[in-house]
Amino acid sequence: MEDLVYVTGHKNPDTDTICAAVAYAQLKRKLGVHAIPVRLGDINNETRFVLTHFDVPEPLFLYTVKRQVSDLNIDAVSPVSPHISVKTAWNIMRKNNMKVLPVIDEHEKIIGIVTLSDITNKYMDAIDNNTLAASGTTLENIVDTINARLLVDSKCPFKTSGHIHVAASGIEELRAVLDEGDILITGLRPEIINEAISRKVSLIIITCNQNIPDQLVESAQNAGVPMMASLSDSFTVSRLINQSIPISYVMTSNNLVFFEENDLVDDIKEKMLKTRYRSYPVVNSNNHICGFISRYHLISPRQKKVILVDHNEKAQTVNGLEQAELLEIIDHHRLGDIQTPTPIFFKNEPVGSTSTIIANMYFDAGIRPTISIAGIMCAAILSDTLKFMSPTCTYTDRLTAERLAEIAGINIENFATEMFKAGSSLKGRSVEDIVRGDLKDFKLGKLRVGIGQVYTQDDETLNRLNDEIITYMENISQHEGFGIVMLLVTDILLQSSEAIVVGSEKELVGQAFGGEIINNKIRLDGVVSRKKQVLPKLAAFTE
């Protein structure tokens, strides 16, 4: 599948940035690109109204585009059950040229890993210790391991002392060592087999695939002694039987070091350096195994592919953009400070809305937007141009919005009234949401300026929260390095704003607009556009 491309607007998204991302992602999909829209923050009431009205899903939240484990070309490995034998695990590794296997439970969640060294170490231990008894191996594992057929099954779960005897001597010598619960490996020697049955051994293995008399099988059946016949000789059976132990006994399960798909590559590097294992399992959010990674996977991880809309400044964009591959920028703001190592597609036009640009990219490509996409792009233009009343509005914005409204089947006057009404109420919104909801970060020379904006006529709520808003803004200024933090409170009907201003350089705002800041407030008659009326004046006064 073609690489996924994320289309994102700026942090603290408004209606234009969300609708532009959704619309442009769909345009790219129509042009054959696997693109999806994402958002970098919570949507506001106005945007929620627009998306709901046109039945458009809210974009997924994207915190970062830094390289993650999911961006690595990890080794795909099929997990195994903890009950399979060491021999089976060894054969799987040898066949697939693997050195590690993930072990999962019945819910497909990882419970351990088994490596070649785990197998070899435990197998050597098994020769000297009663590993066969301690491991809890099953008759099924033994049958599979020594290439046998089960003649008599046990009447209860298989248990053994782990002591293995090969009948290479006479019966008298065997009687001296054979005890209940032991395992006997023998050729077809009826006298020895009957002795083993009488002593209630845990298992009798008859080698060389001989024809077993029915009487011996019946005696073992009556005594409840398991019996099987192997195609292999006694030496081979005695050598292989310890490989029947389940991998649950040899696997590593304590202090298991594993990574999740969403872990950042920068974070896992440090853990790899501290632990120094050959490879590490990767799991998803459900703790299901995805594969294994090693150090060599970190050499050239894939980069996430990103398209930016409605912004082109570092402070406003997605976290980790420097680790992603930036493909395009579609914007209507001033040129910012984002740099790219190679040329990209950059479309920037002096219009009132990014959605105006994107809508005309649809038309230029001969693609008619769907009713819902036309509707949200029209809404975005109305929002960003304040229903054509903002000084940023152009003839192109108006013409494009009217064309989109016709496709979407909406009345611009009626729809704009409903949309602004839905977005203007401040009831239920926190101080943080009011201040940060549309706060944009700008760099003017050496001065860092944060400018937020709310469109409202809810003076009652604003007056009640006034002191809290100022305190919150001062905290942002002091702790986040802003020389100026402004909140434009804009009345769309009166076409004017009141600015709440804090910061060590706040007096520059009064000087730039030729007014006086009283109690952290200044009246800005006729000012409704942050981009065209506020930012240029501040930039000219600070540079």
Side-chain angles (χ1 to χ4, degrees):
M1 179 182 289
E2 186 180 358
D3 288 343
L4 179 65
V5 177
Y6 297 99
V7 182
T8 179
H10 53 71
K11 294 176 180 176
N12 303 320
D14 56 13
T15 299
D16 187 35
T17 204
I18 292 292
C19 294
V22 173
Y24 197 58
Q26 184 168 107
L27 176 60
K28 298 301 290 187
R29 289 197 297 274
K30 287 181 177 293
L31 295 173
V33 178
H34 185 205
I36 64 167
V38 292
R39 58 183 173 84
L40 307 184
D42 295 331
I43 62 174
N44 58 38
N45 290 336
E46 179 187 279
T47 308
R48 185 172 290 107
F49 167 82
V50 171
L51 296 180
T52 302
H53 185 90
F54 292 104
D55 195 26
V56 174
E58 183 178 320
L60 297 175
F61 175 77
L62 181 68
Y63 174 72
T64 183
V65 288
K66 284 186 175 181
R67 298 184 186 100
Q68 295 173 287
V69 173
S70 57
D71 298 317
L72 304 174
N73 292 311
I74 66 175
D75 295 330
V77 179
S78 297
V80 295
S81 163
H83 308 298
I84 69 169
S85 68
V86 163
K87 182 185 178 184
T88 300
W90 180 277
N91 288 337
I92 292 173
M93 290 179 174
R94 185 175 57 181
K95 180 180 178 180
N96 297 287
N97 192 28
M98 294 161 25
K99 295 179 173 60
V100 61
L101 287 175
V103 186
I104 60 172
D105 62 14
E106 64 273 15
H107 303 294
E108 298 187 353
K109 297 183 184 295
I110 187 168
I111 56 175
I113 61 172
V114 60
T115 65
L116 286 176
S117 60
D118 290 332
I119 292 175
T120 54
N121 290 338
K122 285 291 185 179
Y123 181 65
M124 294 304 296
D125 288 343
I127 296 175
D128 300 321
N129 303 317
N130 287 339
T131 303
L132 202 63
S135 67
T137 193
T138 62
L139 286 175
E140 290 77 10
N141 273 7
I142 296 176
V143 166
D144 179 65
T145 302
I146 65 173
N147 193 16
R149 54 192 173 91
L150 191 61
L151 302 175
V152 178
D153 199 351
S154 59
K155 298 178 181 179
C156 55
F158 176 66
K159 290 184 179 180
T160 178
S161 66
H163 297 139
I164 302 170
H165 304 280
V166 179
S169 57
I171 190 170
E172 294 301 326
E173 289 81 359
L174 189 64
R175 284 173 178 162
V177 295
L178 192 63
D179 290 321
E180 181 178 348
D182 292 351
I183 295 175
L184 175 66
I185 300 173
T186 180
L188 185 54
R189 301 175 65 179
E191 184 181 13
I192 287 179
I193 293 172
N194 283 321
E195 181 68 24
I197 292 173
S198 68
R199 288 178 178 257
K200 298 287 186 180
V201 296
S202 62
L203 174 63
I204 299 173
I205 303 173
I206 303 175
T207 61
C208 298
N209 195 31
Q210 303 182 56
N211 293 322
I212 317 300
D214 293 340
Q215 181 183 356
L216 287 179
V217 175
E218 186 177 347
S219 296
Q221 186 77 52
N222 293 336
V225 175
M227 177 183 289
M228 61 182 66
S230 174
L231 292 171
S232 303
D233 57 49
S234 297
F235 171 75
T236 301
V237 170
S238 63
R239 180 171 57 86
L240 292 178
I241 191 170
N242 278 318
Q243 294 181 25
S244 68
I245 60 177
I247 59 170
S248 58
Y249 188 73
V250 305
M251 71 182 185
T252 299
S253 56
N254 295 329
N255 301 318
L256 189 64
V257 180
F258 61 90
F259 302 122
E260 295 187 6
E261 283 185 308
N262 294 329
D263 286 345
L264 299 178
V265 171
D266 290 344
D267 294 338
I268 72 169
K269 284 180 180 178
E270 184 176 352
K271 187 172 287 188
M272 282 185 167
L273 288 173
K274 290 181 178 178
T275 51
R276 307 291 295 178
Y277 294 126
R278 181 189 297 273
S279 57
Y280 301 79
V282 177
V283 299
N284 61 19
S285 57
N286 295 320
N287 206 31
H288 293 170
I289 190 73
C290 301
F292 277 82
I293 60 172
S294 303
R295 288 175 185 80
Y296 70 85
H297 288 118
L298 305 181
I299 297 174
S300 57
R302 297 191 303 266
Q303 291 179 297
K304 288 184 172 68
K305 298 181 184 297
V306 182
I307 294 175
L308 304 183
V309 298
D310 200 33
H311 72 293
N312 69 104
E313 302 212 28
K314 283 183 180 179
Q316 297 176 16
T317 199
V318 62
N319 297 324
L321 184 64
E322 67 281 356
Q323 293 188 13
E325 182 182 357
L326 180 57
L327 302 178
E328 303 178 26
I329 298 177
I330 314 295
D331 195 18
H332 70 130
H333 295 93
R334 70 168 194 161
L335 297 184
D337 55 357
I338 290 178
Q339 297 181 348
T340 60
T342 58
I344 66 168
F345 180 78
F346 187 95
K347 192 173 183 65
N348 185 280
E349 295 183 7
V351 292
S353 167
T354 301
S355 292
T356 298
I357 303 172
I358 294 171
N360 283 290
M361 292 177 74
Y362 269 87
F363 301 141
D364 291 344
I367 298 174
R368 180 183 175 91
T370 62
I371 291 176
S372 59
I373 294 299
I376 65 172
M377 286 195 290
C378 180
I381 296 170
L382 296 174
S383 174
D384 248 26
T385 65
L386 304 180
K387 201 184 72 176
F388 314 132
M389 292 186 287
S390 170
T392 62
C393 183
T394 66
Y395 175 73
T396 302
D397 292 303
R398 182 184 291 272
L399 191 65
T400 304
E402 290 173 352
R403 187 174 179 182
L404 293 169
E406 182 179 355
I407 296 172
I410 58 174
N411 179 281
I412 284 180
E413 289 292 332
N414 294 340
F415 180 79
T417 300
E418 291 182 53
M419 180 179 69
F420 289 134
K421 182 179 179 181
S424 64
S425 176
L426 299 180
K427 291 182 180 179
R429 293 181 63 181
S430 66
V431 169
E432 179 182 9
D433 184 32
I434 292 172
V435 175
R436 288 193 183 270
D438 190 24
L439 183 67
K440 291 187 177 179
D441 189 340
F442 300 98
K443 193 78 172 177
L444 304 181
K446 295 183 178 180
L447 181 65
R448 188 181 179 193
V449 179
I451 307 176
Q453 189 168 21
V454 291
Y455 302 99
T456 186
Q457 296 174 319
D458 191 352
D459 294 334
E460 180 184 349
T461 301
L462 274 176
N463 291 333
R464 178 169 53 83
L465 298 176
N466 181 70
D467 292 342
E468 291 183 55
I469 289 174
I470 292 174
T471 299
Y472 187 80
M473 291 172 62
E474 287 176 338
N475 186 61
I476 292 176
S477 175
Q478 292 171 9
H479 293 91
E480 298 182 26
F482 287 96
I484 298 174
V485 179
M486 293 180 63
L487 177 64
L488 287 180
V489 182
T490 302
D491 189 317
I492 298 174
L493 297 180
L494 296 178
Q495 285 289 284
S496 65
S497 300
E498 182 177 58
I500 303 175
V501 189
V502 304
S504 59
E505 304 295 328
K506 68 179 181 181
E507 296 304 325
L508 290 176
V509 177
Q511 297 171 25
F513 287 94
E516 185 180 0
I517 298 176
I518 302 175
N519 296 327
N520 296 98
K521 293 182 179 180
I522 182 172
R523 189 72 191 175
L524 304 178
D525 291 325
V527 173
V528 294
S529 172
R530 166 177 48 192
K531 179 182 73 174
K532 200 160 187 176
Q533 294 175 296
V534 176
L535 193 60
K537 281 197 173 185
L538 283 178
F541 207 84
T542 56
E543 292 177 353

